[in-house]
Amino acid sequence: MTSLAPTLQAFFTDRLAAQRHASGQTVLAYRDSLRLLIGFVCSHTGKQPSQLDLADLDGPMIGSFLTHLEQDRGNTVRTRNARLAAIHSLFRYAALRHPEHAASIQRVLAIPPKRFDEAVVCYLTKTEAEALLAAPERATWIGRRDHALLSLAIQTGLRVAELTGLRVTDVVLTHGPHVRAFGKGRKERCIPLTGTTTTTLSAWLDERCGAPDEPVFPSRRGSPLSTDAVEALVAKHATTAARTCPSVAAKTVTPHVLRHTCAMFLREAGIDIATIALWLGHADIRSSRPYLHADLALKERALARSDPPNTTPGRYRPSDKLLAFLDSL
C-alpha cells in the first residue's frame, strides 16, 4: 500500500476526529471533496485508489481537477474553493508526515482560491413569501408539515442543516417561545418565535406526536428529512406559488433564499446589522454586510438626505413617451 491511503485515513481519524473534533457536516464535506478528487485522479492515471501515491496528486493534477469541477461538473467558484480548502487541509497534514514530498505538497498549497463576483442577495418580498406559505396543500399531512417548515424557515432564518437537525425537544412553545439551533462552529443559539409561527408549530407538533429526540420535520418513514428533500420541497412549492405571484418565477428559490428573506425582513424592520448577525448565527458581522447592500430603502433614505438645496425631493420619473421620443431626436 502506498503512502496516500494511510495518510488519508489518519487525516480523518486523527486530525479531524481526535485533534480538531470536527463536526459531522465538516467530515462529510471533506469526504465528498476527496472522493471526487481520488476518482478524478484514478480516471487519469489508470490506477486503483489504493495504488495512488502523494506524487500522483501533484500541482498540475490538482489544477486539472479544479478546472474539471467548473467546466465539466458545472460547479460554482464557491464550490470549487470549498473543494480546494479540503484538499489544502489534507496536504497541510501530509506535510508533517511526509517531508520527502515537501516540494510537491508546497506546490499544491500554493494554489490560491479563485476570486468571484458577489451578486446582491436574492430574497422574497412579503407578497412572495405569503404566496409561498400558501402553496402547500394543508389538507394533507405532507402539506401541513411543509407549511410548518416554510413558516419556521422564513421567520427564523435557520440553515437547511439546522432545519433537518431540529428535534422536538429543541422547540419551546411555553413562556418565551423559541427554538434552539446548532449551527456552524458547533455554536448553539436561541431564536424567538412570533405568535403566528408559534401557533403553526404548536398545531404541527400536536399532530406530529413525536418523542423528544425525534425530528420536528420527518419524512414519511419517520427519519429526518435530507438536505436534498428540503431543497426539492421548497422548489416545488415555489413553482406553485408562481401561479398566484408571477414574480416568484423570476427567482431561484432555495432554502438559503428563505434565510436571506428572514434577514431582509429584519432589515426592513429597522434591526441593526449586528443583531441580524447574532440572529443568523454568523461568526463574523462582515458575513451580514450583503444585507446592507440589498437594502434599497436604506439607500433611498440616504439619497433623500443628500438632495441638493432648492430642489423637490423624489425619485426620477421618465417623461411622457411622446416627449421622450422627441427628446431622443
Side-chain angles (χ1 to χ4, degrees), residues 165-280:
L166 204 63
R167 301 169 300 167
V168 173
T169 190
D170 296 327
V171 181
V172 179
L173 300 178
T174 53
H175 298 292
H178 63 275
V179 294
R180 291 188 299 269
F182 299 86
K184 286 185 177 180
R186 314 178 79 90
K187 296 188 295 293
E188 180 183 3
R189 71 186 191 280
C190 294
I191 305 101
L193 299 175
T194 63
T196 302
T197 306
T198 299
T199 301
T200 300
L201 279 179
S202 179
W204 166 246
L205 291 177
D206 287 343
E207 179 179 2
R208 168 77 178 84
C209 292
D213 288 334
E214 291 184 342
V216 174
F217 304 111
S219 66
R220 292 180 182 273
R221 298 183 300 273
S223 59
L225 288 173
S226 66
T227 298
D228 290 342
V230 176
E231 291 177 349
L233 73 87
V234 170
K236 179 184 71 173
H237 295 310
T239 301
T240 303
R243 298 170 189 165
T244 58
C245 184
S247 60
V248 176
K251 300 178 179 180
T252 303
V253 184
T254 65
H256 212 70
V257 168
L258 305 186
R259 180 171 166 83
H260 293 328
T261 300
C262 170
M264 292 307 299
F265 286 173
L266 292 173
R267 273 300 311 157
E268 292 172 5
I271 307 300
D272 63 274
I273 201 68
T275 303
I276 293 176
L278 290 173
W279 187 289
L280 298 180

Side-chain angles (χ1 to χ4, degrees), residues 12 15 17 35 37 44 58 60 66 93 97-98 105-106 153 170 180 196 215 224 274 280-281 307 309 319 327:
F12 282 96
R15 172 56 63 88
R35 279 179 64 91
L37 173 62
H44 280 68
D58 56 8
L66 297 175
Y93 179 71
R97 295 170 59 96
H98 299 285
I105 290 173
Q106 286 304 313
D170 296 327
R180 291 188 299 269
T196 302
L280 298 180
D307 283 336
S319 60
D327 291 339

Side-chain angles (χ1 to χ4, degrees), residues 15 30 85 87-97 105 109:
R15 172 56 63 88
Y30 281 22
I87 296 170
H88 279 173
S89 184
L90 170 64
F91 274 73
R92 282 192 295 268
Y93 179 71
L96 303 175
R97 295 170 59 96
I105 290 173
L109 294 177

